[in-house]
Every structure is written in C-alpha cells, then in structure tokens.
Amino acid sequence: MQEKPDLALVHAATDGDAESFTELCRRYYPAMVAIAHSVVGDRHLAEDAAQQAFARAAVKLPQLKNANRFAAWLAAICRNVAKDMVRTESKLHSDENLSMIAAQPQADDAAEIVRQAINRLSASSREVIFLRYYDGMSYEQISTVLGITEQAINGRLRRAKRKLADYLRRNGFAED
Amino acid sequence: MADQENEKWLDELISQTINTTRPQFDAEKWKQKYPQEFQSLLSRARRRPAGSSARQPNIRAVFFHHRLTKLTAAAVILVAIGLVVTYLGPGKPVAPENGRIVGNSPSEMLSMMSLTIAYRRGGMEELERQCDKAVELLGPRLARISFREVLDDLNG
C-alpha cells in the first residue's frame, strides 16, 4: 500500500486528526532522536527530547506557515528542546557531587576517543553525522529534515568526516 | 573509489560508537506522557464544523511552489505588457489632424506638453515635424549665437 504523502498528513494533523499526527511522529522519530542525540549526547535523553518536540509540535502545528517544510520546522523544535535539556542537565550536574560522576565506569577507550572526535565537530556537522549514521538516512531524507540541499549535505558530511579522520589518526587510529 | 575504500574504517568506527539501532515511536506511551498536548490536538478537530475537513488549497503557495506556474505567470505578464503597449501606446503614426501644430510660438511648440501631444497624435514623425516648424519660425541664425539670444528667440 502506498504511503500517504507528508503534506496530506500535515494538513490533516493541523485539522486535529490524531492518526495523521502520530503517523508523522512515527516517520520522523528516528531523525528527531538523531538530531537530539547530536545535541544532548545521550540516547535516552535524545528520545525524551524527540517526544517532547512532538508534544510542542502538536500544540504549535496551526502556526506552521509552510506545510512543505514540516520536517525542517519539527527539527528546529527538537533542536531547541534538546538545547533546553542540556541547560537543565548542566545546572543539575553542577550541584552534583563530582566524585559520583568520576566513579562511573569508563566506556571503551576507542569508543571514547571517537565520541570525543564527534563532540569536537560543529553542531551542524555533528547533526549530519548523526542523521547519516543513526538510521542510514539518504541524502534526500536528510535534506528534507534539515531543509538544505543535498549538495550542502554532501559538503558538510565530507568536511566532518575529514576532521574526524584527522583527529582519529592523530590519536593512533590506523586505517586498515 | 579510493576515497570510499579509505573511509570504510571511519564509517565502521562511527557506526560502532553511535548507537545505530532504529528507535521506534510508541504512540500510546506518548499520548499518556503528554495528555494535555494530545487533547490540544484533538480539540482542533472538535472545533472544525463537520464537512469542512477538506482544506482549501493555499493558492499562493501552490502558485509559487511549481516552476511551471511561475513560467506561465511570466508568460502571462509578458503578453499583458505587449497588449498594453499595442493598445495604449503611440501605435502607428497617423497623419496629423489638418496638419495643425500644437502651440503658437517656438517655446510653446517645444514645451513638454506640446511635444507629448504631438507624439500621441502622430508618433515620431509628428514630433519631428513640430520641432522643424519651431526651428523654421526661429528663422536662420548666425553660427555663433549667445545663450541669451537663444532664450529671447524661444520666448518670442
């Protein structure tokens, strides 16, 4: 069965059709989790952020001016929710006992270095990396979500990967 | 190709680090977690009168979204400009009414209003005729003439 196009779902959801809205959520959940993960750096928090973004979108949907840009609009909401979460978390952590954090088991060293390399990227580059590797999204899908051209995504992805490769080589990773 | 081969190790490292299992959206859990927002969504359906669910297409958005409609609009504008020029412009020069010249003195003949009337009446030919007539009325002049003399002549 052919999927209903996003535009029809967005219009129906704006008119209060819950089924259409949840279908949109289902379609964009992985992308929103990837975007939020690139900001908060934690999978569970990212899922919370994506769900919260859907909640905000459910209320604000009538304010959406161009239904064709629903995905990009949703991504902007998700980004803001994730940033708010980071601010809240950083406040909480500043009050926590630092020794508790230090006592947490350290992850695998190699993974930790890759994570550091990803964290050193700019927010926009990190976002593209997460979208591309989280769910194996195509350039076309990423383009819809970020509201930029496929060429721009290709350029952003290439630059990000070059930076990652440089950092990893400097830290003893060999390409074999 | 070589680039793609060289990037394999990097792709693997990134994939291993980022948790790539596809997240699944649980609609029921979401509705329970955000009941107010979900109710806000449903309330819009209640507010809409029955039978009005068919959304009016946003004509402006449809118009400017498609390349074909943009091209059609440009063509329509060009045709409209062509029609305006054809029917409201000077058109073909016509013979002047009874060969009448607008204005009595050379200065009146060369005023903007007289020249405009002449142009509307007979196009460039009539305009040229009116200028010639004004020069003719001024008569032959010395090759060297002062600015004051030119003004005096023009003012009659």
Side-chain angles (χ1 to χ4, degrees):
Chain A
M1 202 178 80
Q2 206 177 3
E3 274 193 338
K4 219 174 172 183
D6 278 6
L7 195 62
L9 290 175
V10 173
H11 284 151
T14 309
D15 293 343
D17 181 21
E19 282 279 312
S20 299
F21 187 76
T22 49
E23 176 55 29
L24 284 168
C25 293
R26 221 167 269 129
R27 282 186 194 179
Y28 287 106
Y29 191 58
M32 294 307 121
V33 175
I35 287 174
H37 199 161
S38 77
V39 179
V40 297
D42 177 88
R43 169 70 179 255
H44 295 292
L45 275 179
E47 292 210 32
D48 282 349
Q51 288 168 22
Q52 206 176 313
F54 290 146
R56 280 194 198 176
V59 178
K60 289 184 174 178
L61 200 50
Q63 293 171 25
L64 174 63
K65 284 175 188 156
N66 184 355
N68 285 307
R69 287 185 55 82
F70 170 77
W73 174 77
L74 187 62
I77 294 177
C78 187
R79 222 171 273 135
N80 288 335
V81 170
K83 283 175 188 169
D84 287 347
M85 273 187 170
V86 171
R87 275 191 283 271
T88 313
E89 284 290 309
S90 63
K91 271 185 194 170
L92 284 174
H93 277 246
S94 67
D95 299 337
E96 260 181 30
N97 187 347
L98 288 174
S99 62
M100 289 284 285
I101 298 168
Q104 285 176 354
Q106 286 298 303
D108 171 25
D109 278 353
E112 190 53 39
I113 292 171
V114 179
R115 211 166 286 132
Q116 277 172 15
I118 293 171
N119 285 338
R120 288 166 68 93
L121 295 172
S122 68
S124 56
S125 302
R126 208 162 49 232
E127 204 169 78
V128 176
I129 287 282
F130 269 85
L131 283 167
R132 183 71 176 152
Y133 288 89
Y134 221 92
D135 195 28
M137 284 175 78
S138 67
Y139 282 20
E140 192 188 352
Q141 287 169 315
I142 299 174
S143 160
T144 308
V145 171
L146 297 184
I148 56 174
T149 63
E150 288 179 39
Q151 285 87 349
I153 287 159
N154 186 33
R156 214 178 266 186
L157 201 56
R158 282 187 165 279
R159 282 191 296 277
K161 283 172 84 172
R162 203 181 305 133
K163 280 184 184 171
L164 285 176
D166 288 346
Y167 183 86
L168 294 175
R169 279 193 203 102
R170 280 201 305 275
N171 284 277
F173 282 83
E175 39 195 281
D176 45 8
Chain B
M1 189 69 190
D3 272 0
Q4 283 178 344
E5 284 296 316
N6 289 341
E7 282 177 359
K8 261 188 182 177
W9 67 279
L10 186 62
D11 289 338
E12 278 169 17
L13 273 176
I14 300 170
S15 300
Q16 283 162 14
T17 308
I18 298 174
N19 186 356
T20 52
T21 52
R22 188 185 168 88
Q24 294 292 328
F25 179 70
D26 188 333
E28 291 311 313
K29 270 189 185 171
W30 179 79
K31 287 173 194 171
Q32 284 168 9
K33 200 172 172 184
Y34 297 98
Q36 280 185 334
E37 286 81 356
F38 184 62
Q39 282 307 314
S40 156
L41 176 77
L42 293 178
S43 68
R44 289 203 292 275
R46 284 196 289 267
R47 279 202 296 269
R48 282 189 89 76
S52 68
S53 59
R55 174 171 282 268
Q56 289 290 319
N58 184 346
I59 291 170
R60 194 168 162 268
V62 169
F63 195 79
F64 288 106
H65 184 65
H66 300 287
R67 186 175 287 175
L68 190 66
T69 50
K70 282 182 198 167
L71 286 173
T72 312
V76 167
I77 290 167
L78 285 175
V79 168
I81 290 170
L83 288 173
V84 166
V85 169
T86 308
Y87 290 104
L88 301 179
K92 286 179 187 170
V94 290
E97 286 174 54
N98 306 324
R100 222 183 76 196
I101 296 291
V102 184
N104 295 320
S105 66
S107 62
E108 277 178 18
M109 285 178 198
L110 295 176
S111 70
M112 191 51 78
M113 190 183 282
S114 304
L115 291 173
T116 309
I117 292 169
Y119 179 71
R120 288 214 177 128
R121 192 187 283 165
M124 286 306 288
E125 275 179 28
E126 182 62 14
L127 192 67
E128 207 175 335
R129 204 172 76 87
Q130 181 139 323
C131 291
D132 288 346
K133 186 71 185 168
V135 172
E136 195 184 303
L137 278 176
L138 287 171
R141 288 290 178 274
L142 294 170
R144 296 183 64 172
I145 187 167
S146 71
F147 188 62
R148 176 178 279 279
E149 282 171 319
V150 172
L151 284 177
D152 287 344
D153 276 346
L154 281 172
N155 291 328

